[in-house]
Amino acid sequence: MSAKVLIVDDAAFMRMMIKEILSKNGYDVVGEAENGREAVSKYKELTPDLVTLDITMPEMDGISALKEIKAFNPAAKVIMCSAMGQQSMVIDAIQAGAKDFIVKPFQADRVLEAVSKTISS
């Protein structure tokens, strides 16, 4: 059975890129969200095996969404996505419970490595 993934990014083309990488490699993308608030409610509704979560988003940022998801399910597996130069945010995300992070622009092999490593952890 393939792992269920929720993709969260405020940019539709970024969601599409991640979805394409994961779908082509046998992952089941069960949902998408464009901000942190939507991410938290979709997580509760869909109970995915993994979430890819952008850090910088409107309404609720990725770190806040990560904290809410971890409060709801401490075992949640979340990979943060960030643009270059957001190292301090990445550190905050790891401290808040993220399992890994990938840097934009995405390299398909790095996305797959992070996802398979996180799911099997």
Side-chain angles (χ1 to χ4, degrees):
M1 197 183 92
S2 64
K4 299 185 304 183
V5 183
L6 171 63
I7 298 172
V8 185
D9 198 303
D10 56 328
F13 75 96
M14 284 294 179
R15 293 196 307 272
M16 194 179 72
M17 274 177 63
I18 299 175
K19 183 176 186 173
E20 197 172 291
I21 292 167
L22 296 179
S23 298
K24 272 188 191 161
N25 287 278
Y27 293 98
D28 183 12
V29 177
V30 292
E32 296 180 28
E34 57 187 43
N35 63 56
R37 198 170 314 290
E38 205 180 310
V40 174
S41 70
K42 288 235 171 137
Y43 182 86
K44 291 176 180 177
E45 174 195 332
L46 301 168
T47 61
D49 301 309
L50 177 77
V51 182
T52 66
L53 190 55
D54 187 23
I55 291 181
T56 314
M57 293 181 293
E59 285 191 52
M60 178 191 282
D61 67 40
I63 309 259
S64 303
L66 169 66
K67 288 176 180 168
E68 283 202 27
I69 288 169
K70 292 297 265 185
F72 175 74
N73 176 10
K77 294 183 176 183
V78 180
I79 296 174
M80 301 306 287
C81 305
S82 75
M84 297 296 258
Q86 294 181 321
Q87 276 79 4
S88 64
M89 289 181 180
V90 168
I91 292 165
D92 291 347
I94 301 291
Q95 288 172 338
K99 299 283 185 202
D100 202 344
F101 68 93
I102 44 183
V103 177
K104 298 175 186 177
F106 300 120
Q107 302 296 321
D109 53 355
R110 174 67 187 114
V111 172
L112 294 168
E113 176 202 337
V115 168
S116 70
K117 189 175 83 180
T118 301
I119 285 174
S120 62
S121 69

